[in-house]
């Protein structure tokens, strides 16, 4: 079937069910950042394959919204499909809400309510549309639909997790009392994995298992495909009063809830779940308690994560050595460089997977913030330009995320100036001391200031939280001037990743993960500071020393000394000598 | 009547009216920062005279809550009154809400609902207390109660205000449509004065008139004591469709509102007003539109304010010259120094009043953040210590607020170190460039960083907004790490006032007013920067140059050059030579 035929089939079903619009987002039932093939209905129905976008199908028309990253690709993919491309952010292009406000009054819109956030459904409700949210029409058309992911679960041993399942469950049951709740529904996969000390491989780059969890005062119900669990795991869960139920049964079970006080996070729970319970129960919407608990790493997680970063640094340093020595001599492309880096990471026995798709952006590609090379965009890496490599790994000992911008051959003075200004930004945040209670919105200034003073900026956050062998993007903490209310507390890991992007020229980003730790406590309050977790040198070939003040030079030299001291014991003599050179004082 | 007798009288009235607790705050009907004598019921009933505190009278007990500034004074004042002092912030001292949660269930509490914010009343409601809010029992006891303030209104000419009354009124009427409101109630006095281009002298240090304003789509009602208005002003108001009504009639008038959509700011409107309208109307609570409009100074206000700061600088420089030359030679006290400074300000014909009570804190008094000298605390100013002087004036050309810390004789190296670190903080904010949309929570880091890096801090905000011949503290903008959501936009004036306070030793604060202005606009966005309005040198006798980097030295020298260029034309030769010395490069 081509796209037009699929649309015909879908519209038949729409007419049979009195549906005026059918909406297809890009999401799984848990609103995860990445989705498995089973959930790629939008790509199936439109032919457009990008990571972001949503489709609205009317009885005579159809529209696909996507953002600037994908305009060119989407135009190509949508040719001859009769689907209109809606370029988000362009002038005179309505948002889907504006579109439906104008065209949707008293019409009926349908969608799979399991794949949209609660807030989306209520916004449509507000616009006066009738909503059908318990259908998945595409499923009737999609003959060879991939199956739901079916990876096997494994238990994360206490020596990795640092806190056992019973301790975590107790905290959450106590929290029910604190919030005057009778039960709690958790649907975000990183939360569930953290609570149960389980991991899997259901979502690309995220070591999680598709599941839902309900916490009652005396037991828990885990909704999951039982094939993912072996007897040992079932036994392990039952011992902690966790019952196993079928993945999809949650929707039937929660329908029966009456007069319960249900604790959940409206921003994380899908529309269908909330719709089924909101009328007969009291909803207490709060950020999941586990989200904050998970963000404060325990002592064992911290010790392990430091080890993971040492292992990861070895791979990165091997990669830099290989690249700098071979560029211009053998053919290297963005994709082959990514593969090479992966091969170095794989040399380590504790490496499990990459933590996100490797961004290897050479020259102008470095300026595309969300760029990841594919067969069509792949270009050769040659001397006299910059290569931005943003990558990370999942290890049993934790998750890494690092960006280094590598100088190849000779670069211009202006490139060095930009490279150095971004480094100033990075170092200024790394070096920050701050009072307990300070939020990421305030700390952001430390990183922005050196760029803002020069009329420069980067259009992304400075820092995101990172999980432990879990998602590489985990809240609640963020460092960004629009991030509100969440303080950076001792034990939190965030990235420190200022950048600078010159369209069609080059991109620069310097990213390390940093750990917030306690500093001095005195009559002025309790202070915190950062400790770098990432231990890979910055490329001195990009530095214009005249732009750094004495303090910044000291911070950099101290960091490089730390890198050498920690990482050189892992290296053979040749690499050790190379690292010594990379870490020499400026 | 002594306090005990007053309590007996009040309790009689409470019993007659079935009241269990009577609550007396420190506020006027407009929740102003300062209150007139008429509103000092708490001082009348308790004998405690401090600027902050509230009294709760039960049938057999009575409690006064106040903060650390007043513990010693309150202990003295409450002796033999039977009133228990509740030291706010001390361990085991409940807040009034905690107290009433424990003791107030199903009890009846009464208060004058015109003197408490809406939020307070609703919090009590939430605790399960019965509320009577339309009484003022103290009024029956207070025989020689001062009358309500009765200053005369005057019109602020267009050459001072920069925008005429009709233009402002039109914006607010249009705003009714934008907010789908049928009318708007404004009770904050600075807003009303700004809208009508009126000023008065009803509130200490604030050039305002007690009044309420209701904005309808076709006219406005101003509730005010008519004796304050002469015929010219009445005519002026009528011409702009502003009707005059009796001050207290608003409470009767709004009772009649039915099915209106009423726009107001719940944080600024008193409980009684909201109580009278909330059940029969739709309440749309938003920050008053005029609050934001007022914060963005127009071109004439900016030009005028710059002139006011030049006039004010002349007075400050004369004061510094007099003080430095006379300290240790003639007897100078905190109070006599304040008087001297006032006399220099009064030399200018456009000076109207001080904009707040002058803080002249010598030595250890400088470390008391809200200190203002009185006859009991007044001490002599002698060499070899610091004098912190925080003061300001209202001029027809605008409002000033400046703190300089003046070095008298020789001070220790550690004092110089602290003086210089606070100066680094001040200069770092003054020099900040930032993207449009940046909030005061982010900018605060610029000022905190130099202190935080050294484990130091100040327990107050870095910056507050300032009115134009209006309140010296005016929002919505603030610079503080707990300030949320309000961006610092071009045209806004704030203070830049980091400090450092060493209890029982000394205090340092460097405060100038700064104006946010547009800087460059490029592909990274629209940038802003600050321009200093205050033009008075920092005392170089306090500076340890070795702690300043090259950039900071440049900023300071450039600022001092600007001060000399702008202010020297106002001075005679002797003072000009002195200023030249003060402004010489370091």
């Amino acid at each position: 079937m081509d796209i037009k035929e699929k649309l015909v089939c879908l519209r038949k079903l729409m007419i049979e069910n009195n549906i005026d619009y059918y909406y297809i987002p890009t999401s799984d039932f848990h609103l995860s950042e990445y989705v498995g093939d089973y959930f790629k209905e939008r790509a199936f129905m439109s032919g457009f394959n990008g990571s972001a976008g949503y489709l609205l199908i009317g009885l005579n028309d159809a529209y696909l919204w996507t953002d600037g990253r994908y305009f060119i690709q989407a135009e190509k993919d949508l040719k001859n499909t009769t689907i209109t491309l809606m370029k988000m952010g362009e002038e005179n292009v309505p948002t889907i809400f504006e579109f439906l406000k104008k065209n949707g009054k008293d019409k009926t819109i349908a969608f799979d309510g399991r794949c949209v956030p609660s807030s989306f459904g209520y916004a449509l409700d507000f616009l006066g549309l009738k909503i059908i949210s318990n259908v998945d029409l595409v499923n009737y058309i999609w003959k060879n639909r991939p199956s739901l992911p079916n990876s096997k679960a494994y238990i994360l041993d206490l020596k990795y997790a640092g806190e056992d399942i019973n301790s975590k469950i107790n905290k959450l049951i106590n929290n029910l009392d604190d919030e005057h709740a009778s039960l709690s529904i958790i649907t975000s996969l990183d939360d569930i994995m953290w609570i149960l000390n389980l991991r899997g491989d259901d979502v690309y780059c995220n070591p999680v298992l598709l599941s839902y969890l309900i916490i009652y005062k005396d037991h828990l119900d885990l909704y999951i495909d039982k094939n993912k669990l072996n007897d040992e795991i079932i036994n392990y869960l039952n011992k902690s009063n966790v019952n196993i139920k079928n993945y999809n049964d949650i929707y039937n079970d929660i329908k029966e809830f009456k007069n319960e006080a249900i604790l959940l996070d409206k921003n994380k729970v899908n529309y269908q779940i909330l719709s089924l319970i909101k009328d007969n129960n009291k909803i207490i919407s709060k950020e999941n308690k586990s989200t904050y608990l998970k963000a404060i790493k325990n002592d064992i997680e911290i010790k392990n994560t430091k080890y993971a970063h040492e292992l990861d640094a070895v791979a990165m340093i091997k990669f830099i050595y290989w690249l700098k020595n071979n560029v211009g001599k053998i053919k290297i492309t963005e994709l082959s460089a990514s593969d090479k880096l992966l091969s170095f990471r794989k040399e380590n026995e504790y490496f499990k997977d990459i933590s996100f798709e490797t961004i290897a952006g050479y020259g102008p590609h470095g300026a595309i913030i969300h760029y990841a090379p594919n067969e069509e965009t792949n270009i050769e890496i040659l001397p006299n330009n910059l290569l931005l490599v943003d990558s990370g790994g999942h290890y049993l000992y934790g998750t890494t995320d690092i960006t280094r911008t590598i100088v190849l051959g000779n670069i211009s003075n202006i490139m060095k100036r930009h490279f150095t200004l971004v480094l100033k930004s990075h170092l200024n945040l790394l070096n920050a001391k701050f009072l307990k209670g300070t939020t990421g919105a305030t700390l952001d200034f430390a990183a922005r200031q050196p760029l803002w003073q020069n009329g420069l900026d980067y259009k992304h956050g400075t820092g995101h939280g990172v999980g432990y062998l879990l998602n590489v993007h985990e809240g609640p903490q963020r460092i960004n001037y629009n991030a509100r209310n969440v303080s950076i507390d001792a034990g939190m890991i965030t990235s420190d990743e200022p950048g600078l992007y010159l369209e069609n020229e080059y991109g620069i980003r310097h990213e390390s993960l940093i750990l917030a730790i306690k500093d001095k406590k005195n009559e002025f309050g309790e202070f915190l500071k950062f400790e770098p977790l990432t231990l890979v040198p910055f490329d001195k070939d990009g530095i214009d020393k005249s732009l750094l003040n004495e303090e910044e030079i000291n911070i950099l030299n101290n960091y490089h000394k730390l890198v050498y001291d920690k990482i050189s014991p892992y290296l053979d003599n040749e690499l050790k000598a190379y690292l010594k050179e990379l870490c020499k004082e400026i």
Side-chain angles (χ1 to χ4, degrees), chain A residues 182-183 185 216 252-262 276-283:
Chain A
S182 54
L183 61 92
I185 300 177
Y216 299 89
N252 281 321
D253 288 0
I254 63 175
K255 257 192 285 188
E256 308 302 321
F257 288 161
K258 291 245 154 36
N259 301 319
E260 301 283 356
I262 302 177
L276 292 172
I277 56 176
K278 74 178 169 52
D279 292 334
N280 297 321
N281 303 278
K282 182 182 166 197
I283 305 297

Side-chain angles (χ1 to χ4, degrees), chain A residues 221-285:
Chain A
D221 285 344
L222 176 66
Y223 294 82
I224 191 167
D225 177 351
K226 283 175 189 160
N227 291 319
K228 297 179 181 183
L229 311 176
N230 62 28
D231 289 349
E232 183 206 344
I233 295 176
I234 292 173
N235 189 33
Y236 158 86
L237 291 170
N238 288 346
K239 263 189 4 204
S240 295
N241 289 322
V242 182
N243 304 325
I244 318 297
K245 300 202 163 192
N246 288 321
Y247 181 49
N248 277 314
D249 284 356
I250 186 169
Y251 294 94
N252 281 321
D253 288 0
I254 63 175
K255 257 192 285 188
E256 308 302 321
F257 288 161
K258 291 245 154 36
N259 301 319
E260 301 283 356
I262 302 177
L263 181 64
L264 52 74
D265 183 343
K266 271 191 187 173
N267 296 313
K268 292 192 170 178
V269 163
N270 71 46
Y271 178 75
Q272 188 59 10
I273 287 182
L274 201 56
S275 304
L276 292 172
I277 56 176
K278 74 178 169 52
D279 292 334
N280 297 321
N281 303 278
K282 182 182 166 197
I283 305 297
I284 306 160
S285 179

Side-chain angles (χ1 to χ4, degrees), chain A residues 20 111 432:
Chain A
D20 300 297
F111 49 80

Side-chain angles (χ1 to χ4, degrees), chain A residues 11 14 20-21 57-63 82:
Chain A
R11 287 185 176 125
M14 287 167 64
D20 300 297
Y21 287 107
I57 300 169
L59 292 172
N60 303 302
D61 45 7
Y63 306 88
T82 72

Side-chain angles (χ1 to χ4, degrees), chain A residues 254-526:
Chain A
I254 63 175
K255 257 192 285 188
E256 308 302 321
F257 288 161
K258 291 245 154 36
N259 301 319
E260 301 283 356
I262 302 177
L263 181 64
L264 52 74
D265 183 343
K266 271 191 187 173
N267 296 313
K268 292 192 170 178
V269 163
N270 71 46
Y271 178 75
Q272 188 59 10
I273 287 182
L274 201 56
S275 304
L276 292 172
I277 56 176
K278 74 178 169 52
D279 292 334
N280 297 321
N281 303 278
K282 182 182 166 197
I283 305 297
I284 306 160
S285 179
K286 285 225 170 176
E287 182 182 84
N288 292 328
K289 179 81 175 174
S290 49
T291 303
Y292 182 79
L293 294 174
K294 176 162 63 68
I296 305 291
K297 304 296 188 273
N298 64 48
D299 291 346
I300 288 172
E301 285 174 319
I302 289 171
K303 187 166 152 274
N304 289 349
T305 298
K306 287 181 177 177
Y307 182 53
H309 278 83
E310 290 173 13
L311 304 179
D312 206 56
V314 171
M316 276 297 294
I317 290 162
K318 285 178 180 173
F319 171 71
I320 292 168
Y321 184 59
W322 169 83
L323 181 69
K324 287 252 198 182
N325 276 313
N326 288 292
V327 68
K329 294 178 191 159
I330 62 173
K331 183 169 178 180
I332 304 175
T333 66
E334 293 169 332
L335 280 177
S336 74
S338 302
D339 288 345
K340 192 73 186 177
L341 175 54
L342 180 59
S343 75
F344 288 128
R345 284 204 165 96
K346 279 184 173 166
E347 286 177 11
N348 189 282
E349 62 179 309
Y350 300 109
F351 176 73
K352 294 194 76 75
D353 198 357
I354 55 173
S355 57
F356 58 97
E357 203 155 4
T358 297
I359 296 172
Y362 175 70
H365 285 173
I368 305 168
I369 293 173
H370 293 96
Y371 179 78
N374 60 40
E375 290 299 345
E376 283 178 40
T377 64
N378 191 29
I379 53 174
E380 191 174 354
I381 296 171
L382 293 164
N384 306 330
N385 213 328
L386 298 170
L387 177 68
L388 185 160
V389 183
D390 187 351
S391 68
H394 290 302
Y395 298 80
L396 275 174
Y397 289 95
T399 296
T400 70
D401 180 2
I402 171 173
T403 309
R404 288 296 178 268
T405 303
I406 302 167
V407 180
L408 301 169
N410 296 311
I411 59 170
S412 69
N413 287 339
I414 180 77
M415 287 164 106
K416 284 191 183 176
R417 179 180 161 76
H418 287 155
F419 188 101
T420 310
L421 287 175
V422 178
L423 187 60
K424 282 166 87 85
S425 288
H426 178 91
L427 297 175
N428 203 35
L429 177 59
L430 176 63
N431 189 47
K433 297 187 176 183
F434 51 102
L435 266 187
K436 192 173 167 175
T438 304
T439 71
T442 297
L443 283 167
D444 191 45
F445 191 79
R448 304 270 173 190
Q449 185 176 29
L451 293 169
W452 282 0
Q453 288 300 120
N454 291 284
L456 305 168
D457 186 47
Y458 45 96
K459 299 292 166 215
H460 58 70
T462 298
H464 57 82
V466 179
Y468 180 94
L469 184 50
L470 267 178
N471 298 356
V472 78
H473 294 154
E474 283 190 17
Q477 77 275 26
R478 291 195 306 133
I479 298 177
N480 200 12
Y481 62 100
N482 64 12
R484 312 254 179 247
N485 293 331
V486 179
S487 56
I488 304 295
D489 297 334
M492 284 183 172
I493 295 172
T494 67
S495 62
D496 169 8
E497 52 176 311
L500 188 60
Y501 309 95
L502 280 90
E503 208 181 334
N504 299 321
E505 297 190 50
Y506 53 85
I508 294 160
R509 185 159 64 248
H510 301 311
E511 178 192 23
S512 292
L513 298 191
I514 56 180
L515 172 72
I517 58 173
K518 288 185 179 177
D519 193 31
K520 74 176 80 165
K521 183 176 170 176
N522 61 22
E523 69 267 39
F524 298 103
E526 290 178 50

